Amino acid sequence: MQLLTRDGCAVCVKVHDQLAQLAAELGFDLRTTDVDAAARAGDTAMRAEFGDRLPVVLLDGREHSYWEVDEARLRADLAGR
């Protein structure tokens, strides 16, 4: 699972903390990507696509949710993998 975020985003911190707790409980890997840092490194695609609605949760490379975590849906989707 990947969380797209940016520095200074309070909602991003909240979502990260929620996902970190779920990762510890359910045993999935959580990667966090700062879209602004990625853009400075040359990868501007994520910021261009998702930059105005962060945080974004990607599951298997596809958008699962943004701005908040739908925990029930996420649990169901992880169970169905």
Side-chain angles (χ1 to χ4, degrees), residues 1-58:
M1 180 165 318
Q2 184 176 14
L3 175 63
L4 303 181
T5 187
R6 73 168 23 106
D7 191 37
C9 171
V11 177
C12 297
V13 172
K14 177 183 170 191
V15 168
H16 178 271
D17 291 347
Q18 183 180 5
L19 289 174
Q21 289 177 346
L22 288 170
E25 176 188 339
L26 302 174
F28 62 83
D29 291 327
L30 174 61
R31 293 180 299 129
T32 302
T33 302
D34 181 316
V35 297
D36 296 323
R40 285 190 298 274
D43 181 359
T44 60
M46 288 185 291
R47 184 170 64 184
E49 184 171 351
F50 302 110
D52 62 340
R53 56 192 166 99
L54 295 172
V56 174
V57 177
L58 301 178

